[in-house]
Amino acid sequence: MRPARLAAMTLGLAAGFAALSASARAQEGGVGVASYWVRNHVAREVPPLGYGRDLLDGTMLGVAGRFSYGRLSLVAEYAAGTLGGTTYAGSAGSVRTERAVRDTELRARVRLFGWLALGYEAHARHLALSVSDTAAGAATWRLSGPSATLLATLGRPDLQAEVGYVHLFSRRTAGSAAITGALRTVAQVTWSPTSRPIQVALAYCFERLDHGAEGEDFQGGRVSVSYRFGGLHR
C-alpha cells in the first residue's frame, strides 16, 4: 500500500473517532482573506547556456474558509498573484521575467492531543507567463500528502502558536518534469479573542520541490483575517 494512501486511511479512522466523541457545541467555522508575500527561487540547467536560476518575488491575495467539529478541522484556500524578477542564464546575461501563480489547497486535520495534530493536505498549483495562461512554460502541479503539527499556547488562551510539516507526493504534473520530492513547513501565530468574532494569523511558509534536474522553493509570509461564526470561540 502506498504511504500516502495509508496515511489518508489512518487520518480517516482518527477523524471518525474524533467526530463521534465531539459535542455539537464544538462546531465552529470561519471565512476570511489573506495576503501573501512570496519569493520563488528556481535553479536549473539551461543547455547550452549552462546553469540558470530565477529569482522572483511578489504578492498574492487569497480567500479561505474553515470548519471545525470537535477535534476535526477542514480548511479550503485559494490564492493568486504575479511574481516578477530576474532570470540569469550563464553567459547569456539576464532578462526580466514574470510568473503568474494560482494555488488551491484543501486541508483536513485531527487534533489528537492538546499539543499534536495529524492531517492530510491536497495542493493544486498553476504557473504561467503572466501575459497568457496558454503561453509556453505554463505548468500545473497536483500534490498531496500527510502533515503533522505541534501546537502550543503562548501564555494566554487567545494566543496559539503552531509549527507544521507536510510531506507531499506528486499526483500529476503537466507542462513540467515530474516532481520527485516536495515538502512544506509552516510556523504560525494565531490571535483569537474570546470577546470578538475575529481571528488574525501571522505565518511564515517554506516549500521545497525537486523535479528532474531542477530545484525550486517558495517562501514568504502570510497575514490573514477571518470572521468566526458558531460554536465556542477558543
Side-chain angles (χ1 to χ4, degrees):
M1 182 178 292
R2 293 180 179 179
R5 183 175 299 177
L6 179 60
M9 292 177 60
T10 302
L11 176 65
L13 291 173
F17 287 120
L20 289 174
S21 64
S23 66
R25 293 184 64 224
Q27 296 181 34
E28 183 183 326
V31 292
V33 295
S35 176
Y36 304 77
W37 175 81
V38 181
R39 170 159 290 178
N40 179 208
H41 177 210
V42 186
R44 63 176 182 267
E45 293 291 333
V46 188
L49 301 177
Y51 187 75
R53 66 187 188 277
D54 297 340
L55 298 173
L56 312 175
D57 56 55
T59 58
M60 299 173 65
L61 297 177
V63 294
R66 61 182 179 82
F67 175 77
S68 63
Y69 183 82
R71 297 176 180 270
L72 173 65
S73 63
L74 305 172
V75 177
E77 292 186 4
Y78 173 82
T82 300
L83 311 181
T86 305
T87 296
Y88 301 89
S91 60
S94 63
V95 296
R96 180 74 181 178
T97 187
E98 288 188 337
R99 200 178 196 189
V101 183
R102 298 200 305 267
D103 276 351
T104 303
E105 301 182 11
L106 299 174
R107 301 195 295 270
R109 192 165 79 176
V110 177
R111 189 164 183 164
L112 298 182
F113 308 103
W115 55 273
L116 175 65
L118 299 181
Y120 199 83
E121 303 188 5
H123 301 253
R125 174 170 295 161
H126 180 83
L127 309 99
L129 298 179
S130 61
V131 293
S132 171
D133 282 347
T134 60
T140 300
W141 306 336
R142 286 180 171 80
L143 307 166
S144 65
S147 67
T149 305
L150 299 178
L151 308 162
T153 56
L154 298 178
R156 42 191 291 183
D158 59 349
L159 279 180
Q160 179 173 283
E162 60 182 70
V163 177
Y165 172 82
V166 188
H167 188 84
L168 295 166
F169 300 91
S170 176
R171 289 288 166 248
R172 186 174 66 180
T173 60
S176 74
I179 295 175
T180 56
L183 61 87
R184 168 183 282 189
T185 59
V186 179
Q188 178 171 297
V189 175
T190 304
W191 178 52
S192 305
T194 56
S195 60
R196 300 177 183 177
I198 64 170
Q199 185 178 81
V200 180
L202 303 176
Y204 175 80
C205 308
F206 177 85
E207 184 178 292
R208 172 68 185 183
L209 305 103
D210 294 310
H211 39 103
E214 302 181 8
E216 183 162 3
D217 65 64
F218 290 83
Q219 58 182 302
R222 179 183 68 202
V223 179
S224 62
V225 179
S226 61
Y227 173 79
R228 298 182 295 164
F229 53 86
L232 298 174
H233 298 328
R234 295 182 298 277

